[in-house]
Amino acid sequence: MKNLEEMDIPSFREDLIGWFEKEQRDLPWRKDRDPYKIWVSEVMLQQTRVDTVIPYFNRFLEQFPSLDALAEADEEKVLKAWEGLGYYSRVRNLQSAVKEVQEKYNGIVPDSPKEISALKGVGPYTAGAILSIAYAKPEPAVDGNVMRVLSRILLIWDDIAKPASRRIFEEAVRELISHENPSYFNQAMMELGALICTPTSPSCLLCPVRDHCQAFNEGVQDELPVKTKKKKQRPVELTAAVLRNHEGKLLIRKRPDTGLLANLWEFPTTEVNLEFRSEKEQFADYFKDQYETGITLGEMLGRIEHVFSHLIWNLHVFTGTIQGQIKEASDLRLVSLDEIDEFAFPVSHQRILRLYRETGEIK
DNA sequence: TACCCGTGGGA
DNA sequence: TTCCCAAGGGT
């Protein structure tokens, strides 16, 4: 790459790593080099803020302290430990991959790019992060931070929203990375992006590698990185019902094991056509069709808007009672309010439960 | 490739 | 309010 030729690479590495040794944050996954802990932290940190991850990471490792502990853990408990973190397939893939490591590699996280990349949920970033941080291998770990930082330092104008662009940055990192300390090099690049070289108003005057930065040199740091914006979320209208049986227990069901919020529990919910007849009638018909049982819906408890990365749920929340008998199953349960906290719910349905506890329980 | 897949915080 | 974002991966 042409712009790499302008770099004094040894000096850049020294300035970057020197800064990291002095300024790095004290984070729970930086206490040791245990590949399992590094792995868990990297998966949690995918598209998720450090401040959000910290308490989850601490609880998760208390509950599943080793790779073997996670491999043998009850899936429901694992999902419950992830409740509220989002992107739930991450933890399903993680447990699946951990089981594979237990069986194929005798419980030792592999240290080769090929083997580690073959594990579920381990993409190019996570593979590079584990290999460099836990095993000191000089592999690139290119995340959003690294693309932002390098786009400025090397004046790279490619659209970082395009998957194809990542390869350019990986090639650059292969040239730049310290073979003496690849762990600190990769972490320092990300730490710099998080603390100094931020998306808006970067703190260039505090930057340890300012002298190496071609964007700063030309005064275009605010123009980089180039990133096309995503499209807006699609709204979806839904009816949800907190249904009580004659014993006062609430009906919950497990979502399918693929797709949105896979394997999480929810109150019965279905899409509604607001142009059609009464919403209550539509829901009762749906319920009868699914469970062969009649219900009576009460008044609407309230409306909840829940925003996802790609869609918006407008939840119309009702209470109701179940007329006949419901046959419980592994994915269909009647539970008391004391038992319900054992089940992992998406935040949208945690909000429904809160609404019910605050206003609906007495009705 | 483009789209699917969560959540909460901050500008 | 609206928008973007935060240590991505699967399909």
Side-chain angles (χ1 to χ4, degrees), chain A residues 136-148:
Chain A
K137 305 279 187 187
E139 290 292 321
V142 174
D143 71 336
N145 285 309
V146 173
M147 288 197 282
R148 181 173 61 257

Side-chain angles (χ1 to χ4, degrees), chain A residues 2-56:
Chain A
K2 175 174 156 296
N3 293 2
L4 271 170
E5 295 167 13
E6 316 221 347
M7 296 286 291
D8 180 348
I9 294 176
S11 168
F12 171 72
R13 290 173 179 156
E14 192 178 327
D15 291 341
L16 178 69
I17 291 175
W19 169 82
F20 182 71
E21 287 173 334
K22 190 161 178 243
E23 301 292 340
Q24 64 169 295
R25 290 168 291 179
D26 185 13
L27 299 172
W29 45 89
R30 287 180 175 164
K31 287 182 188 164
D32 60 62
R33 306 289 76 168
D34 179 352
Y36 167 69
K37 294 182 193 169
I38 303 295
W39 187 2
V40 171
S41 75
E42 292 301 341
V43 173
M44 284 190 173
L45 285 162
Q46 290 169 9
Q47 300 291 285
T48 311
R49 295 182 136 75
V50 166
D51 289 342
T52 303
V53 166
I54 289 172
Y56 279 92

Side-chain angles (χ1 to χ4, degrees), chain A residues 79 86-93 234 254-266 308-311 313 346:
Chain A
L79 206 49
Y87 288 142
Y88 299 95
S89 68
R90 289 185 291 175
V91 74
R92 192 177 60 247
N93 288 334
R234 169 177 58 90
K254 199 177 176 70
R255 292 177 61 86
D257 63 6
T258 57
L260 184 64
L261 305 170
N263 287 352
L264 273 71
W265 292 84
E266 67 177 1
F308 295 90
S309 43
H310 59 302
L311 52 87
W313 276 1

Side-chain angles (χ1 to χ4, degrees), chain A residues 179-200:
Chain A
H179 287 241
E180 188 183 330
N181 196 343
S183 167
Y184 271 25
F185 180 90
N186 280 341
Q187 290 188 76
M189 290 288 285
M190 294 187 276
E191 196 82 340
L192 189 68
L195 301 180
I196 304 287
C197 195
T198 47
T200 59

Side-chain angles (χ1 to χ4, degrees), chain A residues 165-235:
Chain A
S165 301
R166 209 197 66 253
R167 198 183 48 78
I168 308 224
F169 293 92
E170 281 180 352
E171 292 310 309
V173 171
R174 287 192 187 281
E175 300 294 323
L176 292 172
I177 193 169
S178 160
H179 287 241
E180 188 183 330
N181 196 343
S183 167
Y184 271 25
F185 180 90
N186 280 341
Q187 290 188 76
M189 290 288 285
M190 294 187 276
E191 196 82 340
L192 189 68
L195 301 180
I196 304 287
C197 195
T198 47
T200 59
S201 54
S203 306
C204 297
L205 298 183
L206 300 177
C207 182
V209 293
R210 185 182 56 206
D211 294 346
H212 306 275
C213 183
Q214 298 175 30
F216 179 75
N217 205 262
E218 301 191 8
V220 296
Q221 66 271 185
D222 291 326
E223 316 298 321
L224 288 164
V226 175
K227 187 178 186 182
T228 55
K229 48 177 181 272
K230 58 170 198 213
K231 61 179 191 179
K232 281 204 320 198
Q233 299 100 327
R234 169 177 58 90

Side-chain angles (χ1 to χ4, degrees), chain A residues 61-180:
Chain A
L61 275 135
E62 207 169 301
Q63 207 173 346
F64 314 110
S66 66
L67 188 144
D68 289 324
L70 180 59
E72 287 153 19
D74 175 14
E75 193 182 350
E76 292 280 347
K77 287 202 162 57
V78 174
L79 206 49
K80 182 71 187 176
W82 205 269
E83 183 185 49
L85 252 191
Y87 288 142
Y88 299 95
S89 68
R90 289 185 291 175
V91 74
R92 192 177 60 247
N93 288 334
L94 176 61
Q95 195 185 20
S96 165
V98 152
K99 287 178 175 175
E100 186 178 345
V101 169
Q102 202 184 36
E103 292 164 11
K104 277 173 71 173
Y105 304 110
N106 202 17
I108 309 298
V109 180
D111 67 350
S112 79
K114 182 163 289 184
E115 288 175 323
I116 200 165
S117 298
L119 298 169
K120 281 181 191 160
V122 179
Y125 164 74
T126 304
I130 297 172
L131 290 169
S132 61
I133 298 172
Y135 292 123
K137 305 279 187 187
E139 290 292 321
V142 174
D143 71 336
N145 285 309
V146 173
M147 288 197 282
R148 181 173 61 257
V149 169
L150 274 187
S151 74
R152 288 170 177 161
I153 290 176
L154 294 175
L155 224 54
I156 297 172
W157 297 94
D158 296 71
D159 182 357
I160 67 168
K162 302 265 187 231
S165 301
R166 209 197 66 253
R167 198 183 48 78
I168 308 224
F169 293 92
E170 281 180 352
E171 292 310 309
V173 171
R174 287 192 187 281
E175 300 294 323
L176 292 172
I177 193 169
S178 160
H179 287 241
E180 188 183 330

Side-chain angles (χ1 to χ4, degrees), chain A residues 239 243 251-256 266-271 281-295 322 325-329 331-332:
Chain A
T239 313
L243 299 171
L251 185 67
I252 60 174
R253 69 179 180 189
K254 199 177 176 70
R255 292 177 61 86
E266 67 177 1
F267 299 104
T269 302
T270 189
E271 202 163 336
E281 217 171 295
Q282 281 182 62
F283 187 87
D285 284 356
Y286 160 79
F287 194 88
K288 181 91 182 173
D289 185 57
Q290 287 286 304
Y291 304 108
E292 299 175 348
T293 306
I295 56 170
I322 302 165
Q325 287 289 328
I326 287 277
K327 185 140 99 190
E328 288 188 80
D331 61 350
L332 191 66

